[in-house]
Amino acid sequence: MGIKDKVKSMVRRRTPVPVEKEIFNMGIQERRHPQHMAGPVLYDTAKNSTIVRSCLVQLKTEIFRRGFQWEKAFELKCNTCGYEHNKTVDECMNCESIDLRKPSFKQKNYAEKFFNGYVNDAHQMFIDVLKELETDFNIIDDAFLVLVKDYYLDDNGDIVLSKINELYRADPVTMFIETDEDGDRGFTRFTCITHREFVSDDVFDKCVECGSKLHPIEFINRVNGKEQNFIVGEVIHHSKYSPSRLYGHPPVITLWNNIFTLAAMEAYVSTSYTKARTPRGLLAVQTNNMESLIKYWKGVKEKLEKDPHYIPIMGIETDGNSKGSVEWIPFMNTLKEMDYINVKEDLRDRICGFYGVSKIFMADSSASGGLNNEGMQILVTNRAVEMAQNVYNKYMFPFLMEQFGITDWKIQLLRSEEEDDIAGLRRREIEINLATQIKNLGFEVDMDENGAFTYKKFPSKELVDVDIESGEGEGKLETDPYAGTNVDASQLGQMQEQMMNRNQGANLPTEKMNNQGGNQPPTRNKQSMSQGPPKRFSGMPHDAANNNVDKRTERRI
């Protein structure tokens, strides 16, 4: 009895799925009131705000500035086990099969033909559709990409083949998710591919119009009182800032107070420079001769109409017992008194900080130079751009390639900042030098499928196969006689030569004395301890000097 038979005989139980509190009933899941009802208001608010729209434009420019490219999903793929290798190998690293294949260029040609031209009948390029999705991410935090397909069905209504003809962006305000009570999609209602208006709650029902098989509904688009049903595989949905099982949370709602405060400040400045503005103040004049004052101001107005640069000079008559006075009553403070610039800068920094757009990308050069690091500002924005690109590269594009049936290639957005190829080559050079040094130490160096070096230390094959005690094998194992000593075998020849030269120099005086017939003792190999008067006592009698001086330790003067 095998393990499969044992598993089949067991009773299966499952962990409960956590319930989503936002799911109120089965079927269409409504958004929260601010997202659904105020959706158009959120778009108008973001598009009419100078700061928000500047952030969105800069983000889209940096994200899609260098476009996209096609990359190989693998270098070689095993046809036996399906293992994918990222480098060229002679055999499969998983099953050791030699039945390997390269990526199919037919898939790449088919994909390039579709994505390099218009992707829909509205004459939109693929980048144009992606920019629309990026706008939806930054305003509503929900983006929907609709794949318009052609289906080929058999007699039972099953899908035999499908082909994507167009790509469209769907409005997040009108798109809804169809889920069950656990939040799972495609288990509540079903529709016919040919007659989308027919909907049933039973998966085993047949279409009343054509009798075809029904397919699960995953998304619904409600526009002008009508519903468009989309089955599984026709819509790609994702949230950028607040991903969840349902909908995201709009960033514009989070920044609502900051955006409207900035709008009110800009409106205040705008009205203060127009004729409809509130008067700056009131000039109050205390006088006992009101008729003279009115008559004078009429004359001043007539002269100002003729000459706008006319400077009026006014004198007011008063009685002898009273003093006249002129008082200015202001109605509004100046922009400097209200600290307008600092408040506006703070609100702008909060909005730009949420989207990750630095001041240098907002054409603000006041924050550059000195202690302000422009490189760090670019780094912060590059991280926000990289996070946005990962939404497409890791979530949306893989699902899109799966629907196209492209398995050997993948589409990737290029990084906004070009990579430094020279720095990469220098790093690789350092890695090669280290690998060479480690190999010289006796390690075995290999390269894995990612191009990284691996190091292993194995005992020599001769040491494993040969029995030292019995002497079996091809020959007697040679051992190092100097092992365990401080003698280096590689320098043994040099040491022997030095020793021979030293011995020859020590034996030379002895041979001369023997030839002369002398009985002097042989000289020692050790240097003599010759003594003599030091030079500092020169000019004195020999006996008065300190003769116990070793010339080897005496320093010259």
Side-chain angles (χ1 to χ4, degrees):
M1 186 176 182
I3 187 172
K4 292 184 178 180
D5 297 332
K6 292 182 179 180
V7 172
K8 291 181 180 178
S9 62
M10 297 179 182
V11 179
R12 188 179 67 175
R13 295 293 182 264
R14 191 177 183 183
T15 305
V17 178
V19 179
E20 179 68 36
K21 66 178 181 178
E22 298 295 334
I23 301 176
F24 303 104
N25 55 3
M26 294 178 61
I28 302 174
Q29 298 302 318
E30 302 284 351
R31 282 189 179 88
R32 296 178 181 177
H33 180 75
Q35 295 175 250
H36 177 57
M37 300 300 295
V41 178
L42 298 179
Y43 276 94
D44 293 339
T45 302
K47 292 179 180 179
N48 294 329
S49 174
T50 305
I51 303 300
V52 175
R53 188 166 185 182
S54 299
C55 291
L56 301 187
V57 170
Q58 292 299 325
L59 274 180
K60 289 188 291 185
T61 301
E62 292 299 320
I63 293 172
F64 308 107
R65 181 170 63 88
R66 299 181 61 201
F68 60 88
Q69 69 176 2
W70 292 95
E71 297 179 357
K72 296 180 181 179
F74 52 84
E75 191 67 28
L76 290 173
K77 184 175 183 179
C78 179
N79 293 325
T80 304
C81 65
Y83 186 80
E84 297 179 354
H85 303 81
N86 294 327
K87 70 171 184 177
T88 302
V89 295
D90 295 331
E91 62 181 16
C92 178
M93 301 180 64
N94 185 34
C95 64
E96 298 182 355
S97 173
I98 60 175
D99 186 10
L100 306 174
R101 71 174 182 89
K102 296 182 179 180
S104 174
F105 280 89
K106 293 183 179 180
Q107 294 186 7
K108 182 180 180 182
N109 294 334
Y110 166 72
E112 287 182 342
K113 184 178 179 181
F114 180 87
F115 286 97
N116 290 343
Y118 296 125
V119 295
N120 53 41
D121 292 339
H123 291 182
Q124 284 185 305
M125 303 291 290
F126 183 56
I127 290 294
D128 299 333
V129 179
L130 294 181
K131 289 182 178 181
E132 286 187 302
L133 298 180
E134 184 62 24
T135 301
D136 296 334
F137 279 134
N138 294 321
I139 297 179
I140 298 293
D141 197 22
D142 283 304
F144 297 86
L145 180 64
V146 177
L147 315 180
V148 180
K149 298 181 179 181
D150 284 343
Y151 294 98
Y152 299 90
L153 311 178
D154 57 11
D155 296 338
N156 298 327
D158 294 328
I159 300 175
V160 180
L161 180 64
S162 64
K163 179 183 178 183
I164 300 176
N165 288 330
E166 295 179 281
L167 298 178
Y168 283 96
R169 167 258 181 188
D171 190 357
V173 179
T174 60
M175 290 293 292
F176 297 88
I177 302 176
E178 179 85 10
T179 65
D180 59 8
E181 63 274 6
D182 294 329
D184 298 330
R185 305 174 187 177
F187 293 97
T188 55
R189 298 194 302 168
F190 307 88
T191 186
C192 175
I193 294 180
T194 306
H195 307 90
R196 299 290 179 116
E197 64 277 2
F198 176 76
V199 178
S200 176
D201 297 334
D202 189 359
V203 64
F204 299 103
D205 283 348
K206 301 293 183 178
C207 178
V208 297
E209 298 291 337
C210 61
S212 298
K213 184 180 178 180
L214 302 184
H215 299 270
I217 299 175
E218 194 172 19
F219 293 93
I220 297 176
N221 185 28
R222 289 178 170 179
V223 180
N224 300 327
K226 298 181 180 180
E227 293 184 356
Q228 292 178 312
N229 300 318
F230 297 96
I231 65 174
V232 177
E234 292 183 338
V235 178
I236 303 176
H237 167 255
H238 192 72
S239 297
K240 177 180 177 181
Y241 296 98
S242 303
S244 65
R245 283 188 285 178
L246 296 178
Y247 308 100
H249 186 72
V252 176
I253 294 181
T254 305
L255 303 172
W256 184 267
N257 292 332
N258 296 330
I259 295 174
F260 263 85
T261 303
L262 273 176
M265 295 176 67
E266 292 174 356
Y268 175 81
V269 174
S270 177
T271 55
S272 65
Y273 287 97
T274 60
K275 293 184 179 180
R277 68 181 183 273
T278 304
R280 295 179 57 186
L282 175 65
L283 184 62
V285 181
Q286 296 181 2
T287 179
N288 294 327
N289 192 351
M290 186 62 67
E291 295 180 357
S292 175
L293 179 61
I294 295 174
K295 183 178 180 181
Y296 174 77
W297 272 114
K298 287 182 179 180
V300 170
K301 289 181 179 180
E302 293 177 356
K303 293 181 179 180
L304 288 175
E305 291 177 356
K306 298 178 181 179
D307 184 8
H309 303 285
Y310 171 72
I311 301 177
I313 301 175
M314 181 177 62
I316 305 298
E317 296 181 357
T318 59
D319 295 339
N321 298 329
S322 61
K323 296 182 180 180
S325 64
V326 178
E327 182 180 1
W328 170 254
I329 303 175
F331 283 174
M332 56 185 294
N333 296 326
T334 62
L335 297 179
K336 185 176 181 180
E337 293 173 345
M338 293 186 297
D339 204 9
Y340 177 87
I341 301 299
N342 293 333
V343 174
K344 186 176 180 180
E345 288 291 330
D346 179 70
L347 295 175
R348 187 188 70 170
D349 292 343
R350 293 177 184 272
I351 296 175
C352 296
F354 180 88
Y355 289 110
V357 180
S358 303
K359 290 184 177 181
I360 195 171
F361 287 91
M362 301 291 288
D364 185 1
S365 59
S366 61
S368 61
L371 298 177
N372 299 299
N373 192 347
E374 297 89 343
M376 184 60 65
Q377 294 186 38
I378 296 175
L379 177 62
V380 170
T381 303
N382 287 343
R383 289 179 178 177
V385 171
E386 183 179 2
M387 186 268 286
Q389 290 180 342
N390 288 337
V391 173
Y392 301 97
N393 294 337
K394 295 183 179 181
Y395 295 96
M396 304 194 73
F397 289 167
F399 184 86
L400 184 62
M401 294 298 101
E402 180 182 357
Q403 297 302 316
F404 270 94
I406 300 175
T407 58
D408 298 354
W409 299 85
K410 58 183 180 180
I411 186 173
Q412 296 285 308
L413 291 174
L414 294 172
R415 297 181 58 183
S416 63
E417 293 294 332
E418 298 181 3
E419 298 181 0
D420 189 357
D421 296 335
I422 301 300
L425 294 175
R426 289 178 178 174
R427 179 180 178 182
R428 191 61 177 175
E429 181 183 3
I430 295 175
E431 293 177 352
I432 295 174
N433 292 335
L434 292 176
T436 304
Q437 296 176 9
I438 295 177
K439 181 177 177 63
N440 295 334
L441 295 177
F443 288 81
E444 293 187 4
V445 181
D446 196 3
M447 186 181 298
D448 59 11
E449 58 181 3
N450 297 323
F453 291 104
T454 58
Y455 311 100
K456 295 180 181 179
K457 181 66 174 179
F458 294 106
S460 178
K461 185 177 181 181
E462 291 77 8
L463 294 178
V464 176
D465 297 339
V466 176
D467 188 359
I468 300 178
E469 297 180 356
S470 62
E472 296 179 356
E474 297 180 356
K476 187 177 179 180
L477 182 65
E478 296 181 0
T479 58
D480 187 3
Y482 300 99
T485 66
N486 59 351
V487 178
D488 191 352
S490 63
Q491 301 179 359
L492 185 61
Q494 181 179 1
M495 296 173 60
Q496 292 177 350
E497 183 180 359
Q498 293 178 357
M499 185 63 67
M500 293 176 63
N501 295 334
R502 184 179 301 174
N503 293 334
Q504 291 177 0
N507 294 330
L508 183 60
T510 304
E511 295 178 356
K512 289 183 179 180
M513 288 187 297
N514 292 334
N515 294 331
Q516 295 176 1
N519 294 325
Q520 296 180 3
T523 59
R524 295 180 304 171
N525 194 19
K526 183 178 178 182
Q527 296 182 0
S528 61
M529 299 281 293
S530 61
Q531 298 177 354
K535 291 184 179 181
R536 62 177 177 270
F537 296 114
S538 59
M540 297 180 64
H542 185 271
D543 296 336
N546 183 11
N547 298 323
N548 190 17
V549 179
D550 190 352
K551 292 191 295 183
R552 295 180 301 172
T553 59
E554 184 69 17
R555 183 174 61 88
R556 291 185 178 184
I557 301 176

